[in-house]
Each structure stands twice: as C-alpha cells, then as structure tokens.
Amino acid sequence: MLILTCPVCGVTAEETEFHAGGEAHLTRHGPGASDADFEDYLFMRANPRGVHFERWRHVYGCGKWFHAARCTTTLQVFGTYTAQTSAPPQEILDKIADARPDWTPRTPG
Amino acid sequence: MSEPVSALHGISDDHGLVRITELGPRGMITLRGDLASSAIKKAATKGTDLSLPGPGQAVLSGDDGVAWMSPDELLVMCAYDDVQARLARMTKATQGKHALAVNVSDARAVIEVSGTRAREVVAKLAPVDLSPDAFTPGMFRRTRMAQVAAAFWMHDDTTFRIICFRSQARYVFDLLKVAAQPGSEVDYF
Amino acid sequence: MSTRLATGGRLLSKDKALSFTFNGRRLRGFSGDTLASALLANDQMLVGRSFKYHRPRGIVASGAEEPNGLVNMGEGGRFEPNQRITTTELFDGLTATSQNHWPSLDFDVGAINSKLARFLPAGFYYKMFIHPRPLWKHVYEPIIRRSAGLGRAPTAPDADTYEHFHAFCDVLVIGGGVAGLQAAKAAARSGARVLVLEQTPHWGGRAPVDGGTVDGKPVDKFVEELVSELADMPNVTLRNRTMGAGVYDHGYVLGYEQLGDHAPEKPGPRHRLWRIRAGHVLTATGAIERPLPFAGNDVPGVMLASAVRDYVVNYGVSPGDRTVVVTNNDNAYLTAIALKYAGLSVPAILDARVLPTDSPAMEQAKALGIRVLMGHAVSSVKGGKRVTGVAVCSQSGEGAVLEEIACDVVAMSGGWSPVVHLWSHCGGKLLWDETQAHFRPDVDKAPIGADGHGFVTPAGCANGVMQLDAILADAVQAGEIACAAAGFRARHSDAPTAEPSGETPMTPVWMMPQGAGIKLRSKAWLDYQNDVKVSDVQLAAQEGFESVEHAKRYTTLGMATDQGKLSNINGLATLAAARNVAIPQVGTTTFRPPYTPISMGAIGGEARGDVFQPLRRTPMHDWHAANGAEWEPVGHWRRPYAYRRSGESTHEAVMREVRNTRDKLGLLDASTLGKIVVKGPDAPRFLDMLYTNMMSTLKPGKCRYGLMCSENGFLIDDGVVARIDDDTFLCHTTTGGAERIHQHMEEWLQTEWWDWKVHVANVTEQYAQIAVVGPNARTALERLGGMDVGKDALGFMDWAEGTLGGFAVRVYRISFSGELSYEIAVDASHGQAFWDALMVVGADLGAMPYGTECLHILRAEKGFIMIGDETDGTVIPQDLGLDWAISKKKEDYLGKRAQARSHMADPTRWKLVGLETEDGSVLPDGAYAVAAGENANGQRNTQGRVTSTYHSPTLDRGIAMGLVLHGPDRMGEVLEFPRLDGTTVKAKIVSPVFYDPQGEKQNV
C-alpha cells in the first residue's frame, strides 16, 4: 500500500486516503475532433513498465486532484505535483533523470 | 420553528476507555474562495478573535473556530444559533467577489472523544500518526475513520472532536464504542 | 514415552498447574506450557493424521514451523480448526480435539490410503478423476472432500471481537530474539521511535536455550537485562505475542497481536491487527531447522533436534527416554548434550559428515560418553505410531543396514534456513549460501521504498549469520543502518561479545543415505502436512514439471497451512538434483504474507455487526423504523421500501401507498437525493458543459430537469436544477449520485477547466427533503401557512423560499409522480419536526408516508426513467426518447462528441417503449424479448429487454418499460418474453406513459 504526499495540502498519507485516477496529462478532444483523436483521448492509455505519470485525488483529505510521477515496477515515487498543468514540471523531470538516467519521456500519442 | 435536533440527540457513552459524546447542534459554514484575499479573511474571522489557520490547522476559541479544509476552503464554526447572522456577514464581506458561503451545520455531526486514551481509540480507526509528537492541539486533519470520511482536531491534550456526515453519525459513534471497548487498551502512546 | 522431567523448564511456572482436555481426556500442565509441551508431558506424541495417507503424525517442531500438530480448538462461538499446538499457550480449561481421522486418532480407517501410497503418487487426483467428467461432481469430489481436508469449519458465529490499530514508527524490528533486541537498542540510541514485535510470549528467541555467555553473563541474563533496558527507553515499544505477518509496499507492515488466545476470559478484543507504517523495517526473524529426508522420518517421535532441546530446556519435558541424534552439523550436538544433562539416554549421534578433526561440540559429546558415528545415517526408522528404533547405514551408501539402535526419539538436523519470508514479501532478493547451504537475503537487493531506497534490513540468523558472537555484531550494524535509513544519526556502540563457538561447517544432505533406492525414497517425507515425499518431487521432475512453481502445484509441496516452512528447501534441493542443476538455478517459490495464518476476524477488525458497513440514516430514520418501514438499501442509505401496517403484506402496503398518493396525499422522505450548490460567474457555462440540455438560460426562481452524460456519451445521472440567482444553481442528483456527481464536478473544475470561476459544495445532508404529493398536497401546505403555494404564485417547475408552519423552507414545485407535488427542503435538524407537522395537518387529508417501491410505480406509470433501471452504463439519452433534453444549440457538452460516433446514431439501437402484457401479468424483471433465429452460440436472438416492471394498482395490470429494437416505430406489435419457468408471456408495445399523458394532474 503506497504512501503519497498530497502537494496541495502537504499531508503524507497512505493509499486508502487517496483515489487513483489513471494516466495524467491527457488532452481533451470534444466535438469536431477526429475519430482517431477522440479514441486516443477516451480509450488509449499508457501502461508503461517504469516511469508513469498518474492522476490521484486526495479523496478523504483536502479533496483535490494532483499528479504523481511513479515507477510502476519499483513503486518509487519521484514526486507529486499540481494537477493544474498539462505537462510534468522540470523539477519532476530532473528527479526522474537522477533516478533513471536512461529514461526518455514518451512522445504523446 | 422547532428546536434543532442533532443527528444523535446529544447522546454519550462512557462504558469504555474514553467518554464519547455527540455534541448537539453546532454551527458550521463552508466558506470557499481565495484564502489570501482580505474579503475571505474578513468573512471568516470578523467579529471573533480568531486568525486564519494555515494548512492542516484549526484556530479555535470557545464556540468559534476556523479550520483549513483545502487551499480554497475553510470551515467556519460557531454557535448553531449564530449561523444565519454569520452567513449574512459573510455574504456582505464577499460581495462582488468569487466566493461561496453555505450552511452545513445540519449536514454534519460533531462527536467528542475524551479521556487519556483518546489518542489510541481514534488511532484504531484513522490511518493517521496520532502520537503526541505528531499530532497536537491546533492541528486539523481530514481523513477517514474506518469506512467513512471524517475530520478531527484536538480540543485539548486528551480530547478529540470529530466531524462526520450527519447520516453517518450513528456509524461513527458505534465505531468509537467498539474501538473503546473495555480491555482494548493498546498502550502505544 | 514422553514425560515431564522433575527439574528444568525455564518458561514454566510450576506453582501454577492448569487443567485441559485433549480428545475429551482431562490432562494437566503448567502455566508457561504450550499445548504441545503439555501433550508431550502427558505422553501424547501422536497428535494427528496426515492429509492424504492418514499416517499417524507426531509433534515435529516447537514453534511456528510445526506441520503436524494442528487441532480443533475451543467450542461453540470460540471453535477454531487447524490451530497450531506448538504456538498455543496453555490455559486453564483449554479444550482441543485432533483432526483428520475417523473414527479415532488411534484407529483411523483412512490409514488404508497409506497402504495404497504406491498408487497415490503426486498428481494422482489430476490423473485419476478426470474421466468420466460427470462423475467428478457427484462421486469423486464428495468422497475426496470427506477424506481430505483438515479441521471442521466452525458453525457458530464468532463470539470474539477484533480490532485494528494504526501505528507509525521510525524503525520496526520484527523478531525479539537476541538479534532483534540488540538491533533495536542500536537503532533506539539514535532517538528513533522503535517498535519491536515478537510472535511468542518470550524474549530472546533460541539463544537462551542454546546457552553460552555474552559479556561474561549467561545468555538468559543478558536477554533479561537488554529487555529491561529497552523497556525503560521512552522511544521503544516492545510487543510480544505479536507476529510481523507481512511486509508490504512503502514500509507498510501488518502485525498480528494475539490478546486473548492465551487468556480467553480476559475482556477486550481477541486479536489486534497492527497496521504499521515504518520508516525502516528490520527483519530479525531467526532461522528454522530443516528435517533430514530419510525413510520413516514422519513416524511420531522423529523431531527436529532443536525442538527436542526446546522441550527439555524450556518446558522440562522429555520427548523420550532414548534419543538418537542424526545430523549434518555441529548444532544438533547441543541437543545430545542437553539430553545428557537432563539425565536422558543418547545411544548415538549419527553424523553424516566425515571430518578430519573433532569440533569442540563433538569433543564435549564424546566426553559425556555419547557414541558418535561419523559418516553414518538413518537407513530407516522403525515403528508405526511411535519410533521404536533406527536402522543405521552409512551415508555414502544405498542404505544397507549396519546395525539397529533401539530408541523412542530421533532428533534430526539438516542445517538451518534463515526465515527470509518477511524480507522477501515485498521483493527482497535472495542468494544461495554454499557454505551454509541455505538461501539468505541479498542485502544489495532489498525491497524498494517510496524514496527508491531499500527499506528492509535483515539481522542475525535471518541474515544468514548463525553464531552468537557474529549475530550480535550483525545486529548492531543492522540497527545502525536502519536508524540512519529512517533519517536518524546512529550513535555507535560496540556490540557485546560472546565467546565464539568454534563450529565446524555443515555438509549439505538432501537424501539420506545418499544412494537411497525408490523404496526408501518413497518413505522419505519432505512435506509432512501435505504428504509429499522425495519420490513425488522426483516424479514431478520426471514428468516435466521442472519449474519450481509447477512442481510445487503438481505435488502440493509447501502448499499447506505451514507454507513449506520445513519442506521447501529440501524440496528445492530434491528438484535440483532430479533436474541435475544447482539449487539456485531452481530458485524458490514466492514467499507471500502472512507468515503464519492470521484470523479472518483480525483482518475484518471492527467491521462486524452494527458497524459492518456504514449505514446512512436520514433525519426521519427513526420515525420510519417506528412506523413499519421495510428497508431498501440504496448505496449505504437505508430508505423505506414500504410502510407495512399490521395484517398487510408488503405488496399490499405498496398498492395502498400508490392509491393513496394518487387519490389523496403521500409523503416521501426524499432527503437522500443529492443537492449540490454550484456558484460563480462561470457556473452557467459550467452547467452547460455538464448537462446535455441548456442550463444557462434557466431563469432564477425556475427549475429544469437535466441529464448528465459521461465523456463516453452514456447517461450517468439526472435531476432537477434550480437556479437560485444569476451566479448560483442548486443541482439535484439521484440518491446514489450525490457523492459521485459532486466528485465529477470537482474533477472537471480542478483538472480541465481550472481557470473557470466556479465553486461547488455538496449540501445533500444539510436538508431534510420531503415530497408532499397528491391532490391534497396544496391544501396541506396551505394549512401549515406562511407562504403562497398557489397555482399562480408557485407554478409547475417554480421554486420559492419562505416559511411553512413556522419552518424556514425552500419549496420546489416539481413532480416525479405526475401528481400535484411539492418537494420541500428544511434544515435537517428540523426535518423530523416538519415531517410531524405535515402528518398533523394532513391527518384528515389522508396523509400517508410512501416508500421507494411506491415511488417507482408512480414514476413508471408516468413513463419517467430511473437511473440504474432504464440505464446501465451503455444507454444514451437518445435511447430513452430524451432527445428533447439534448441541446442542439450547444457547441459542446460532456458526451457530445461521443454521441456523434456512428454506433451511437445507429438506428438499430434499442429504444424505450412501454410494454403491456396481454394477460395483465407482471413481466419478469430483466426479461428479454426473443427474435427469430439463433446467434453464433446457438442462443435465441433477442430484440429487446425489460428495464422496469411493476403491477400498477392505478391501472390494475402489469406495466413495464423496456428497450426494444425499433421500438417506437412498432407500437401495437406483440413481443414474446420467456420466463424462467420455461413459459412465455406476450406483451404489446405501447407508449411508456401509461397514466395522464397530458400531465393534467400535476399542473393543477
């Protein structure tokens, strides 16, 4: 059972206080979007072995959504950061680079 | 209008390790907005001697109190009968600002757990470090207790006050009774 | 025979005699005994029958690794099967019975299986009982189930209570032996919060039994001083009778505390599950001695050498008068020496090794006059229900008997395996130690924590460090590593010194004798509990089950309740030899928590009885309960299904409620409906995105029914939205939708439109909401008085604030029944009083409460959909004929793009219609309308299904709604719906609005 630090309220808590929300940094495609874009948005999810960016909600705490950068194999948490961003901040990318020098960001799509 | 009736009619139980009491009707107002703005500060504290709490804190004085719920939400506590007046003041203070003040007094219940073993009784139900070094009066924690959402603070060194949803008050009260059953001392803190 | 010695027994209080029963026989023991030691003291070596062959089985071990000594404990609400006697503390009045035999322990009919053992090899069941197929269910399985299995399942509800406790510490030490205690001290010196768990009631582990000195003091004295020193440290907590059950992600550990098992009369919970979050975990879990695989090693009286020593030293029990020790290491000599000092006879030590010089232990044994036979082994054990002797052979041969030695105990030692379970639970890797022939933690490959660093450190025997002096040094080092890893500065202090033991190395022995033939091998047990022999594992390898995980499942090696604590390494070595590869190439099976079985009660904790789950109660709950409510669970809410009067069936009550509401006046507790305030300059725009219809055009003071879809286009919720003012809306959701839709709103506001100025608040429980429904509704409210609720002042789909009968209320003129209807919200703290007031003014107007089933019928008669009945997560509003509630003007709303997909616009989607049975009966819920032909699976094709179905008292016939292929275009057609009993019912497609299609009743 993971422990995560909510970057919004600063509380470090066990997983039962949180709710996982799947892959982070999706781009919404609404009316007018191509079938392919819409399919990507609605259904296609990265399921990497290793570094992953996820959405979490501090559901039993401050109620806010946030993002976590996490390794899906070792469960190392590289950092948590605001949900109000469309890409991981540099500080998080640096932490990942420190821990996983061989890692390269996945190109979206 | 009738006399207000709280979820559990103010019942208490002291057969176990602690005394458990439902505190009866309490005034509670959810105030949302920009916590850094003077309007919100005014709305939350005007007419009291309170200051705004920081993250994870509650500032309390008598019936009055302000608890930090999230970066854009405070819980303002007051006497039940003061709620309408406080709401009116808040609405005035936040006039023209993007803010929300709603009465949630009746949506919640406040349950007090008191006694020297209050920490360990609450720690049986909440996944929170409640050792005296980690949790002290002045702090305010939103978390879960067993299967429901709850928030609590310490009124003093041996007293917790727990806020839960009104509909779940009976569940939380009964949970606390189980957690406080005689013979269940933990002696960890 | 086994018996109590006149002296010895360091754990006993001989002034406290206890009485207990085993298989009805009244026996005596002492405080401090385990059930096993007390049974041995009463000459009860035979304790059970084996799982498959029903062979007589005796006590093998003295701790958690015991495979045979499993009994039924207790009676009634305290009955529990498969309790391990070696870890069960004796208490006065304990009752136990043995398991897995019929008719009695001494004479078991099932033992015939043992004679048939040759025909019951590994995989026998798989091979034998496959054909013919039908026989499995009715013949094979019932017979096998009766003859296999261990204890009986309890029949009475558990009489005890259980609880959880959330504990946090910097360093968690699992194991209270010398290593754990010493490591705890080293860690605690840094100021770190240290919690030490020990599964037994005693501190110090095996060290006090094995003897020696530390810093010039006897070991038990050293332990005593260390424990009292730790107990005095404010930052240290010691918990005995608490097992570290499992190690999980990010320093999460479960501890299993047995509070009441040894003292059932004590009030309070029986078990406590500690949910521990540790900065660093130190596993000082010791080691377990391995049996030796030789023929007849399962005969009662064959025991682990360490266990024999434990019984003598700890419990003052002699397992037998004459003990032959068989070993491949020095450690077992301690047993021979301990037996000698206790005045018992040790006819011989059979040491499989051939060594150039004697070790100190050998010298000591010889000096005590014990005959030591090097290079010797057991060819076979003599005896049935009790050892009578051993046939001795040379280890390097094939088992030719050199001599027979009479004895009643065989003390065996095949070396020691570190308890690596807790190290391994969360991914710690192992390496094979050639010298000591065991797997031990590879400290460079520890389980990884949240910060990417290892969070477990092993210490002492659990780390493969087996000698006292080295154990103490290792423990200090581990303690310092652990506190540093938890963020503290270690304050170094040298380890205490113990005199080196000077042991000579062990020699691995995986088969005894080395060249044993099939006859011996098929009597040499690996797994006592699951009856797996050396020959079974060899057969598995021969049949191609080469992977250790496959061989395990094929043979069931290590799959019993002891999870192979004794058998796994010997099994792996046997498999490795059969495959002709090295042991590390075979690898281990996966170690999974818990370390030993823990009670289901402890896992459930407080969640039983009244607090099994959180039942949510409305402000009028008690009134409902007092007035005949039968409850319907709606999520965690309990809502009245119907209010049954005396002499009435539930169905009759529902019919009465419907008729009364249509004719007079019904009151519904609608408090559970979700109520969410949405406020801000962007609130109109936000609601336009959330609802399929246009909410921004709603005027303050008005209500509008709205639909919400997921991004996938499917209908997820519906409800009435009231505009409070320009910036503020109050959105009603379904009962089940309150939390879900609130979170849905927050999610979009926080993660997509975070620049929109909108605040939401879930005020569901702030209000008691009461629907006042029926022709007399207005009269009732007018009698309360205070605000104008007349047709003109408060028209259909209007809302207003005011007072009624002195209560501050918000009144919504909305209707889910087709009747004149007001939904009135009052602060929850006044809900009951307001309800009472309505009952009073409504008394002569026919006011009656109605429940959810009545609500359903009222809405179904009107053709109103219900989320969860007409929808199932695959239904779009268009399927339900709700196109009128889907804005064509809006550029975007959640679900709009999805609904533009080709299959969403497919004309063959099933659409909502009403269904009327020809015979007036009620269609079965969920029934399918059959179509011509069959599908690819040979099933009848379908063309529709029933989504809601009721008996309508208003129309006095069955009415239903359903989704039907081209339904709205097929009015008047008749469909066939098969019933479960094989008959078919015919129903005509009609409009879903069965009652008052013009809406005349609600618009008065």
Side-chain angles (χ1 to χ4, degrees):
Chain A
M1 182 169 55
L2 308 181
I3 38 178
L4 293 168
T5 299
C6 172
V8 183
C9 66
V11 164
T12 299
E14 63 170 49
E15 202 175 323
T16 63
E17 264 191 34
F18 300 98
H19 178 77
E23 187 184 356
H25 307 308
L26 301 177
T27 302
R28 180 169 186 260
H29 288 277
S34 70
D35 281 353
D37 282 349
F38 188 67
E39 182 194 24
D40 262 0
Y41 158 58
L42 201 58
F43 299 116
M44 298 314 217
R45 295 292 180 269
N47 185 20
R49 198 184 153 109
V51 177
H52 194 30
F53 301 97
E54 300 174 315
R55 290 158 16 101
W56 288 84
R57 181 172 187 240
H58 194 182
V59 61
Y60 280 109
C62 66
K64 300 302 186 192
W65 285 90
F66 63 91
H67 289 159
R70 198 172 66 91
C71 175
T72 59
T73 52
T74 66
L75 308 187
Q76 179 174 355
V77 180
F78 304 110
T80 54
Y81 54 99
T82 176
Q84 287 80 47
T85 177
S86 49
Q90 192 57 44
E91 178 206 3
I92 295 289
L93 294 174
D94 291 345
K95 282 184 187 164
I96 299 169
D98 276 353
R100 300 281 185 282
D102 297 337
W103 177 74
T104 49
R106 200 174 68 95
T107 43
Chain B
M1 202 92 158
S2 59
E3 276 301 303
V5 176
S6 64
L8 302 179
H9 304 248
I11 56 166
S12 65
D13 179 277
D14 54 5
H15 294 93
L17 306 183
V18 291
R19 181 177 176 83
I20 308 161
T21 310
E22 195 246 12
L23 290 183
R26 313 287 293 186
M28 283 172 270
I29 298 166
T30 290
L31 178 62
R32 297 195 64 173
D34 176 4
L35 302 196
S37 70
S38 57
I40 290 290
K41 181 166 193 246
K42 208 165 136 190
T45 61
K46 187 148 190 254
T48 70
D49 53 0
L50 304 172
S51 54
L52 271 199
Q57 292 181 333
V59 180
L60 300 135
S61 170
D63 281 337
D64 290 324
V66 184
W68 191 95
M69 298 290 279
S70 83
D72 61 359
E73 182 176 337
L74 299 172
L75 181 68
V76 176
M77 293 177 262
C78 61
Y80 186 85
D81 292 340
D82 283 350
V83 167
Q84 293 309 326
R86 293 293 298 270
L87 267 175
R89 278 211 308 253
M90 286 184 195
T91 308
K92 206 172 146 203
T94 57
Q95 199 72 48
K97 301 285 191 307
H98 173 43
L100 169 70
V102 285
N103 181 10
V104 293
S105 313
D106 302 70
R108 314 259 167 93
V110 184
I111 297 174
E112 184 174 275
V113 176
S114 58
T116 51
R117 296 194 178 272
R119 285 179 186 277
E120 64 185 47
V121 168
V122 177
K124 291 178 186 182
L125 303 171
V128 177
D129 187 352
L130 294 179
S131 61
D133 294 342
F135 196 81
T136 53
M139 294 184 176
F140 183 83
R141 184 69 150 80
R142 299 177 72 180
T143 180
R144 68 178 174 86
M145 290 185 75
Q147 301 171 56
V148 298
F152 51 71
W153 71 95
M154 291 190 82
H155 187 65
D156 57 46
D157 275 336
T158 57
T159 309
F160 279 79
R161 287 191 173 173
I162 298 163
I163 300 179
C164 66
F165 283 113
R166 181 188 187 103
S167 67
Q168 294 167 337
R170 168 56 65 182
Y171 170 75
V172 172
F173 192 89
D174 288 347
L175 270 182
L176 288 164
K177 277 207 300 189
V178 174
Q181 68 167 301
S184 69
E185 297 87 348
V186 183
D187 294 324
Y188 187 58
F189 299 125
Chain C
M1 66 183 289
S2 62
T3 182
R4 184 80 71 183
L5 295 162
T7 56
R10 55 181 283 273
L11 301 180
L12 298 184
S13 304
K14 285 199 174 168
D15 53 340
K16 284 188 210 148
L18 306 174
S19 148
F20 69 104
T21 66
F22 180 71
N23 287 343
R25 197 153 68 95
R26 184 165 291 279
L27 303 169
R28 282 163 62 82
F30 293 113
S31 174
D33 260 325
T34 63
L35 178 53
S37 68
L39 286 172
L40 285 176
N42 287 280
D43 195 25
Q44 186 69 49
M45 176 64 85
L46 176 65
V47 288
R49 292 275 174 170
S50 70
F51 189 73
K52 189 167 159 188
Y53 304 126
H54 292 247
R55 282 174 68 91
R57 286 290 162 75
I59 297 162
V60 171
S62 55
E65 68 276 28
E66 170 64 33
N68 293 338
L70 300 178
V71 296
N72 298 311
M73 281 277 293
E75 287 165 340
R78 294 218 154 88
F79 173 85
E80 200 165 22
N82 300 333
Q83 295 303 289
R84 208 175 310 100
I85 61 173
T86 50
T87 53
T88 299
E89 291 177 64
L90 196 67
F91 57 87
D92 207 40
L94 179 152
T95 60
T97 56
S98 52
Q99 305 180 153
N100 201 33
H101 52 69
W102 185 84
S104 78
L105 180 58
D106 272 319
F107 176 74
D108 178 11
V109 170
I112 187 76
N113 283 3
S114 190
K115 305 282 180 234
L116 302 173
R118 198 151 65 82
F119 308 108
L120 292 168
F124 170 75
Y125 291 91
Y126 300 133
K127 292 167 185 163
M128 190 60 204
F129 297 114
I130 283 183
H131 301 288
R133 288 275 176 191
L135 282 189
W136 171 253
K137 190 166 179 196
H138 302 292
V139 179
Y140 300 146
E141 188 183 2
I143 290 173
I144 292 168
R145 286 218 182 276
R146 210 174 311 138
S147 65
L150 293 169
R152 286 178 288 126
T155 51
D158 191 338
D160 282 298
T161 61
Y162 302 84
E163 70 180 24
H164 292 176
F165 183 71
H166 297 90
F168 294 75
C169 62
D170 300 309
V171 175
L172 174 70
V173 178
I174 303 175
V178 285
L181 294 171
Q182 189 64 45
K185 182 178 161 185
R189 284 170 54 83
S190 71
R193 256 193 308 177
V194 178
L195 171 60
V196 187
L197 307 183
E198 163 57 40
Q199 62 182 348
T200 74
H202 310 290
W203 299 103
R206 295 202 51 77
V209 176
D210 289 352
T213 60
V214 179
D215 283 347
K217 289 171 283 204
V219 173
D220 46 3
K221 182 81 180 151
F222 165 73
V223 168
E224 195 186 311
E225 288 177 11
L226 186 50
V227 167
S228 94
E229 191 181 348
L230 288 168
D232 286 344
M233 294 176 83
N235 57 329
V236 177
T237 304
L238 299 170
R239 298 306 283 216
N240 58 1
R241 297 192 176 98
T242 307
M243 174 180 71
V247 173
Y248 307 84
D249 307 329
H250 291 187
Y252 184 54
V253 177
L254 287 185
Y256 177 63
E257 183 173 19
Q258 294 175 274
L259 295 158
D261 285 339
H262 65 291
E265 77 292 345
K266 202 175 140 287
R270 178 176 172 226
H271 297 150
R272 175 180 295 133
L273 194 71
W274 286 63
R275 306 178 64 161
I276 303 162
R277 194 61 78 156
H280 200 84
V281 178
L282 210 146
T283 56
T285 45
I288 289 175
E289 194 168 32
R290 293 193 294 257
L292 282 165
F294 50 78
N297 64 352
D298 71 327
V299 177
V302 179
M303 301 172 73
L304 293 174
S306 57
V308 171
R309 193 151 85 235
D310 285 342
Y311 288 114
V312 171
V313 176
N314 283 337
Y315 305 105
V317 164
S318 153
D321 298 342
R322 290 167 59 84
T323 302
V324 168
V325 175
V326 51
T327 183
N328 63 350
N329 61 71
D330 272 12
N331 188 266
Y333 283 74
L334 297 178
T335 298
I337 293 161
L339 288 167
K340 269 289 190 192
Y341 280 137
L344 296 163
S345 163
V346 181
I349 296 175
L350 308 178
D351 192 328
R353 299 174 295 179
V354 180
L355 298 172
T357 51
D358 284 358
S359 68
M362 291 176 193
E363 283 169 7
Q364 199 185 347
K366 285 179 179 171
L368 287 167
I370 300 172
R371 189 176 162 222
V372 177
L373 297 168
M374 301 303 289
H376 282 64
V378 172
S379 174
S380 67
V381 175
K382 304 290 160 195
K385 282 182 227 162
R386 185 68 205 245
V387 171
T388 57
V390 289
V392 179
C393 64
S394 93
Q395 167 62 13
S396 53
E398 293 175 4
V401 178
L402 304 174
E403 64 175 302
E404 285 192 13
I405 302 174
C407 61
D408 52 3
V409 172
V410 177
M412 63 183 164
S413 178
W416 289 78
S417 300
V419 174
V420 294
H421 300 62
L422 286 113
W423 165 266
S424 301
H425 282 167
C426 199
K429 299 283 181 276
L430 302 174
L431 50 80
W432 178 252
D433 184 319
E434 280 293 342
T435 316
Q436 304 190 99
H438 61 212
F439 284 103
R440 63 176 163 86
D442 181 349
V443 292
D444 295 329
K445 293 175 184 162
I448 299 296
D451 60 0
H453 299 294
F455 73 88
V456 184
T457 300
C461 291
N463 191 27
V465 177
M466 309 306 281
Q467 306 304 325
L468 187 55
D469 50 341
I471 286 169
L472 292 167
D474 189 57
V476 168
Q477 196 190 352
E480 291 175 1
I481 289 171
C483 67
F488 290 79
R489 237 182 104 128
R491 281 178 55 218
H492 178 73
S493 148
D494 288 338
T497 51
E499 85 260 37
S501 64
E503 276 193 18
T504 52
M506 56 94 72
T507 303
V509 171
W510 307 119
M511 187 63 227
M512 180 170 263
Q514 176 184 290
I518 183 67
K519 196 161 167 235
L520 294 181
R521 281 185 277 125
S522 50
K523 289 282 179 210
W525 261 259
L526 293 169
D527 186 327
Y528 297 112
Q529 206 180 108
N530 265 358
D531 263 335
V532 182
K533 300 158 292 173
V534 169
S535 55
D536 294 321
V537 172
Q538 289 169 332
L539 179 67
Q542 193 183 317
E543 296 192 352
F545 295 91
E546 297 194 344
S547 148
V548 62
E549 297 287 4
H550 290 158
K552 165 182 167 170
R553 282 154 185 84
Y554 190 59
T555 61
T556 71
L557 176 83
M559 288 171 65
T561 65
D562 63 347
Q563 289 285 291
K565 288 186 179 63
L566 294 184
S567 60
N568 274 351
I569 302 298
N570 286 343
L572 297 175
T574 303
L575 185 62
R579 288 179 49 199
N580 203 21
V581 297
I583 290 171
Q585 277 174 263
V586 171
T588 64
T589 53
T590 310
F591 293 92
R592 295 185 204 284
Y595 176 61
T596 63
I598 67 176
S599 63
M600 290 302 292
I603 294 168
E606 79 294 329
R608 11 180 358 212
D610 288 343
V611 293
F612 173 66
Q613 61 174 0
L615 297 190
R616 300 176 70 183
R617 294 161 167 90
T618 74
M620 287 81 85
H621 184 92
D622 292 344
W623 190 94
H624 303 322
N627 285 274
E630 294 199 353
W631 299 106
E632 175 173 25
V634 184
H636 281 152
W637 289 103
R638 285 292 175 274
R639 301 191 68 183
Y641 176 88
Y643 300 79
R644 204 148 66 86
R645 294 180 166 181
S646 68
E648 225 178 27
S649 72
T650 305
H651 176 74
E652 285 163 355
V654 171
M655 296 300 113
R656 169 180 52 76
E657 290 172 11
V658 173
R659 279 191 291 264
N660 185 70
T661 305
R662 289 254 182 257
D663 295 344
K664 295 171 188 160
L665 180 58
L667 299 184
L668 174 79
D669 181 356
S671 307
T672 60
L673 289 184
K675 302 160 208 83
I676 301 169
V677 175
V678 179
K679 186 186 177 199
D682 289 314
R685 174 189 182 195
F686 177 59
L687 293 189
D688 277 349
M689 284 302 295
L690 286 183
Y691 287 92
T692 60
N693 37 356
M694 194 76 93
M695 286 300 171
S696 53
T697 56
L698 184 62
K699 299 274 182 293
K702 295 286 181 187
C703 300
R704 183 170 288 165
Y705 174 73
L707 304 174
M708 278 192 205
C709 291
S710 65
E711 268 292 63
N712 211 346
F714 299 120
L715 192 52
I716 55 170
D717 210 75
D718 68 347
V720 170
V721 177
R723 191 161 195 168
I724 307 300
D725 58 36
D726 281 347
D727 276 1
T728 314
F729 296 80
L730 188 122
C731 302
H732 288 100
T733 74
T734 58
T735 293
E739 282 71 33
R740 187 166 47 86
I741 297 303
H742 176 235
Q743 296 190 10
H744 178 67
M745 290 178 173
E746 281 286 353
E747 179 173 358
W748 284 99
L749 285 172
Q750 290 178 35
T751 68
E752 188 67 25
W753 304 310
W754 60 75
D755 51 337
W756 294 13
K757 287 188 168 151
V758 183
H759 287 308
V760 301
N762 184 353
V763 294
T764 301
E765 296 198 25
Q766 172 64 24
Y767 303 103
Q769 194 142 321
I770 301 169
V772 182
V773 182
N776 294 339
R778 185 173 289 138
T779 310
L781 300 190
E782 282 168 351
R783 283 185 186 179
L784 284 173
M787 65 189 286
D788 190 348
V789 292
K791 183 180 164 84
D792 300 323
L794 194 62
F796 186 57
M797 298 305 270
D798 287 351
W799 70 269
E801 267 176 4
T803 62
L804 282 173
F807 291 87
V809 292
R810 189 181 273 158
V811 183
Y812 307 90
R813 177 80 199 278
I814 55 181
S815 179
F816 196 42
S817 56
E819 295 300 323
L820 171 63
S821 164
Y822 300 84
E823 289 201 12
I824 303 166
V826 57
D827 282 342
S829 297
H830 299 283
Q832 183 59 56
F834 186 63
W835 177 277
D836 292 341
L838 283 167
M839 290 303 289
V840 169
V841 296
D844 63 335
L845 299 172
M848 274 184 202
Y850 69 90
T852 52
E853 185 65 1
C854 171
L855 169 145
H856 273 269
I857 294 174
L858 295 173
R859 66 93 193 168
E861 289 175 343
K862 283 290 293 178
F864 296 147
I865 63 134
M866 178 69 86
I867 298 293
D869 285 331
E870 276 61 48
T871 69
D872 64 356
T874 69
V875 171
I876 57 175
Q878 293 87 338
D879 297 341
L880 301 178
L882 295 169
D883 305 69
W884 59 268
I886 302 168
S887 168
K888 307 282 185 299
K889 291 185 199 148
K890 291 194 294 187
E891 276 181 22
D892 195 2
Y893 60 81
L894 296 180
K896 184 175 170 78
R897 174 62 185 87
Q899 288 166 0
R901 287 174 295 177
S902 55
H903 67 283
M904 295 295 204
D906 186 343
T908 66
R909 288 183 72 88
W910 293 359
K911 305 243 171 173
L912 188 75
V913 291
L915 297 165
E916 248 182 36
T917 50
E918 290 191 333
D919 60 1
S921 66
V922 178
L923 277 169
D925 203 1
Y928 276 84
V930 290
E934 293 184 343
N935 67 14
N937 293 324
Q939 299 156 324
R940 284 293 294 276
N941 283 325
T942 57
Q943 53 176 331
R945 68 184 162 85
V946 175
T947 55
S948 290
T949 174
Y950 306 96
H951 179 77
S952 160
T954 316
L955 306 173
D956 195 24
R957 58 172 301 114
I959 60 166
M961 290 194 272
L963 293 164
V964 173
L965 178 68
H966 301 306
D969 304 329
R970 295 168 64 185
M971 289 295 153
E973 272 188 49
V974 174
L975 301 175
E976 286 192 358
F977 294 85
R979 294 194 183 99
L980 287 178
D981 64 6
T983 61
T984 296
V985 58
K986 288 183 175 173
K988 189 168 69 177
I989 300 177
V990 296
S991 158
V993 186
F994 293 93
Y995 180 72
D996 185 21
Q998 303 309 316
E1000 285 161 6
K1001 293 203 72 179
Q1002 71 189 17
N1003 285 322
V1004 292

